[in-house]
Amino acid sequence: MKLRTYIVEDNATIRENLIGTLEELACVEAVGASATEDEGKEWLTAHSAQWDLAIVDLFLRQGSGLGVLAACRARQPGQKMVVLSNYATPDVRMRCAQLGVDAVFDKSNEIDALVDYCIEHSSKAQNAAAPQPRSDVP
C-alpha cells in the first residue's frame, strides 16, 4: 500500500527531487503538491480522505507552512503531518509540536530520516489495512 503524500514546497527543484526520492526509496505516491499556504490549505482540507501524509515546508512563496499545519489540526488519526525545513531549530520544532506535527526534519541533513519515517508509516498503514483473521472460524 503506497502512502498517499501531498507536498507543500515552493522550490520546484526540491519538490521534484523529493517526490522522486520518496517514490523510489519509500512506498510513497505523490498525490499532489503546492507552492503556497492557500493552495496547500485548500487542497488538504477539500480532499481530506485522499491523503495519508503531508510534507510541509515552513517558508513558502505565499504565506507560511505554519498556516497549513494549523488548517489540518483536525485531520484523521492515521493522517500524518511532517515539516521539512532548512530552519528546524529547537524553537521551530516546539512551535510545530504545538500545532500537532508528527515530525520535523531538517532539509540539509535529515532526508534519510524522512525516508525512514515514510517507510515506517507505510508499513503501519499497510498492517492496519490488512485483513484480520476471523475469530468466529473454528
Side-chain angles (χ1 to χ4, degrees):
M1 181 169 130
K2 291 196 178 222
L3 203 56
R4 299 169 300 167
T5 303
Y6 189 83
I7 298 171
V8 184
E9 166 64 62
D10 63 342
N11 183 309
T13 302
I14 291 173
R15 186 175 54 242
E16 294 307 314
N17 288 338
L18 182 62
I19 290 169
T21 299
L22 293 177
E23 286 184 341
E24 182 180 335
L25 300 177
C27 202
V28 166
E29 173 192 2
V31 294
S34 60
T36 69
E37 176 183 340
D38 289 345
E39 291 171 350
K41 289 191 307 190
E42 181 180 330
W43 194 93
L44 288 165
T45 57
H47 300 89
S48 60
Q50 298 175 4
W51 60 275
D52 305 306
L53 172 67
I55 301 173
V56 181
D57 186 15
L58 295 179
F59 294 94
L60 302 172
R61 186 174 304 146
Q62 171 275 319
S64 165
L66 294 174
V68 176
L69 302 173
C72 296
R73 287 190 80 172
R75 66 189 180 275
Q76 297 298 313
Q79 291 177 310
K80 302 296 180 187
M81 302 266 327
V82 301
V83 168
L84 181 64
S85 175
N86 285 322
Y87 302 96
T89 66
D91 287 343
V92 165
R93 290 176 189 271
M94 185 172 64
R95 179 68 182 125
C96 289
Q98 292 169 342
L99 290 169
V101 170
D102 296 289
V104 177
F105 301 99
D106 190 308
K107 283 181 185 177
S108 60
N109 61 13
E110 294 182 324
I111 297 296
D112 289 343
L114 173 62
V115 170
D116 291 343
Y117 180 90
C118 292
I119 291 168
E120 179 184 337
H121 185 58
S122 175
S123 297
K124 286 180 183 176
Q126 202 166 27
N127 290 339
Q132 301 300 313
R134 292 178 44 189
S135 61
D136 62 337
V137 176

